Amino acid sequence: KVKDNMAGVLEPGAGFVRPELAIKYAIEDAIENGAEVIENCQVISVKKCDFDGNAITVQSSTGKTYKSRSVLMTLGAWTSKLIPDWARHLNVTRQVQIWFEPKEVKNYHPSTSPCWYLDRTNETLGLYGVPADPLSQQNPNWAKIALHGRNVPFDPDDPRPEVNKKEIDEVCDAVKTWIPEAEQQIVASKACLYTMSPDEDFILDRAPGFRNVWCVAGLSGHGFKMTPALGKAAADLMLDEQTDLPIEFLSADRLH
């Protein structure tokens, strides 16, 4: 239900990313190009090597220490744990997503219902949705809706509670004005974490105190789709300490 005084912008070439498949293919591509993937292993510390000032050591929870000439840290919600100097710039928050199964799935097919974002003029949080994915092997008839940018601080090391009724109701209260049928057809819910920067732009910069340790952080809930470009820029910086991509606006200095 769209109000008469609202304006809309349509981007015909836009779409959505299937994150699980994107991650799977990125890992496979990395392995094919010589990368070694180490799973179920926590990074304990990243330090300058005591006996080689140009090297970096990474201590892992398995007890093994890795040595490298350059390091890229993409720590997500845990960034502040290893880069405490950035803690005041990064706010980790708990976000809630819900899925509903519409009676008329064709109305929520990507060909008829694009991804959308609703800027609710008199409300704090925007509302967004992703159409049902016909290629999904598990739930091809489920469409997704969520609020963008809930300011509910969360420590990523704390236990992750299930989404509760109050959280679901928060989304439903926003949804019922615009998509009334969704409220009656909820089939699933899930929580995730955003790592928010003050201006909701990313950070791509050297880690404080290091020349050859780089970090990408503060993706603020909209960075996953940008990771090919961010990865290219980060790889350039690790290898050459410069990149042709326009990343100056992502410097951590802007936040001081």
Side-chain angles (χ1 to χ4, degrees), residues 61-127:
S61 58
T62 64
K64 186 173 182 179
T65 299
Y66 301 88
K67 181 181 176 182
S68 177
R69 290 295 177 187
S70 60
V71 170
L72 173 64
M73 297 197 290
T74 56
L75 307 169
W78 288 267
T79 300
S80 298
K81 305 282 185 176
L82 286 180
I83 308 180
D85 286 354
W86 285 5
R88 65 185 184 277
H89 304 310
L90 299 174
N91 182 31
V92 179
T93 59
R94 175 178 164 92
Q95 307 296 321
V96 174
Q97 310 155 76
I98 65 171
W99 285 262
F100 71 100
E101 187 166 11
K103 294 179 180 178
E104 296 291 338
V105 178
K106 63 182 181 181
N107 294 334
Y108 296 89
H109 188 277
S111 62
T112 55
S113 175
C115 300
W116 53 268
Y117 179 85
L118 178 65
D119 184 359
R120 300 181 298 155
T121 305
N122 297 321
E123 302 290 341
T124 303
L125 302 178
L127 188 68

Side-chain angles (χ1 to χ4, degrees), residues 17-28 133 135 224:
V17 178
R18 298 179 175 94
E20 293 82 5
L21 287 177
I23 293 171
K24 176 178 181 293
Y25 293 145
I27 291 174
E28 290 176 353
D133 183 359
L135 299 185
F224 185 84

Side-chain angles (χ1 to χ4, degrees), residues 86 197 199-206 215-219 222 226 229-230 233 245-255:
W86 285 5
S197 71
D199 57 8
E200 298 190 21
D201 274 338
F202 319 141
I203 301 174
L204 172 53
D205 209 337
R206 284 185 171 93
C215 183
V216 181
L219 270 59
H222 64 108
M226 305 293 186
L230 283 171
L245 295 174
I247 63 167
E248 293 78 12
F249 72 105
L250 301 180
S251 168
D253 289 342
R254 76 180 193 275
L255 303 175

